[in-house]
């Protein structure tokens, strides 16, 4: 029993679409992983600097940007005085969150790469059996 050519063609197109989407998603995930790893390195460097300070040292932490109205709109940055232990605790928490996200993204990357590889194998199998 043979599958009609139209059905095979439609099946190949669907698998090819799935392979292309997996390849696109793979590149997005790789870019996201690289960005998160860069953030982790920056946070680790900052945490190392904060840890090297004496315990009772207060540090200033940025709280974001705000707009001030004074003749025209101006961009300003505001800072808050905090103990270095508070800052260190926040930095380590952010590092752990990012590491968890990277682990999850690596799992997703593995899934997408497997999907892409399987799709290519299925297309080759279909084309090989169609002869």
């Amino acid at each position: 029993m043979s599958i009609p050519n139209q059905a095979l063609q439609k099946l190949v197109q669907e698998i090819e679409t799935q392979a292309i989407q997996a390849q696109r998603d793979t590149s997005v995930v790789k870019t996201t992983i690289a960005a998160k790893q860069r953030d982790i390195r920056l946070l680790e460097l900052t945490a190392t600097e904060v840890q090297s300070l004496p315990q009772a040292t207060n540090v200033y932490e940025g709280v974001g940007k705000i707009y001030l109205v004074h003749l025209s709109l101006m961009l300003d940055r505001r800072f808050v005085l905090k103990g270095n232990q508070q800052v260190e605790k926040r930095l380590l928490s952010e590092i752990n969150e990012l590491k968890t996200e990277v682990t999850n993204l690596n799992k997703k990357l593995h899934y997408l790469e497997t999907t892409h590889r399987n799709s290519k194998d299925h297309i080759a199998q279909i084309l090989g059996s169609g002869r």
Side-chain angles (χ1 to χ4, degrees):
M1 186 167 127
S2 176
I3 300 175
N5 281 341
Q6 281 184 326
L8 278 176
Q9 195 173 26
K10 185 175 181 180
L11 183 62
V12 168
Q13 285 176 341
E14 288 176 15
I15 294 172
E16 189 175 38
T17 302
Q18 186 180 23
I20 290 169
Q21 186 62 41
Q23 191 173 21
R24 285 184 189 143
D25 291 347
T26 298
S27 65
V28 169
V29 168
K30 284 180 180 179
T31 303
T32 305
I33 288 171
K36 291 197 182 292
Q37 287 174 335
R38 199 171 34 253
D39 290 343
I40 289 171
R41 284 192 303 272
L42 181 62
L43 288 169
E44 287 174 340
L45 177 62
T46 305
T48 302
E49 291 292 322
V50 170
Q51 289 169 352
S52 69
L53 297 172
Q55 288 293 347
T57 305
N58 286 324
V59 294
Y60 287 93
E61 185 176 40
V63 293
K65 296 179 181 179
I66 63 168
Y67 288 98
L68 297 176
V69 179
H70 179 46
L71 298 178
S72 64
L73 291 177
M74 295 174 50
L75 196 56
D76 192 10
R77 183 171 273 281
R78 297 293 176 185
F79 297 91
V80 173
L81 184 65
K82 289 189 175 185
N84 67 342
Q85 290 177 336
Q86 287 177 304
V87 173
E88 183 181 338
K89 186 176 178 181
R90 183 192 56 81
L91 290 171
L92 295 176
S93 172
E94 284 185 36
I95 290 169
N96 288 333
E97 286 176 24
L98 285 171
K99 285 183 178 181
T100 301
E101 289 176 23
V102 168
T103 301
N104 292 336
L105 286 169
N106 279 321
K107 290 176 187 176
K108 183 176 181 178
L109 179 63
H110 177 71
Y111 168 78
L112 290 170
E113 288 173 340
T114 302
T115 301
H116 183 256
R117 186 174 45 254
N118 288 343
S119 296
K120 287 173 63 176
D121 290 347
H122 290 134
I123 289 172
Q125 223 175 18
I126 290 170
L127 293 177
S129 67
R131 293 180 184 172

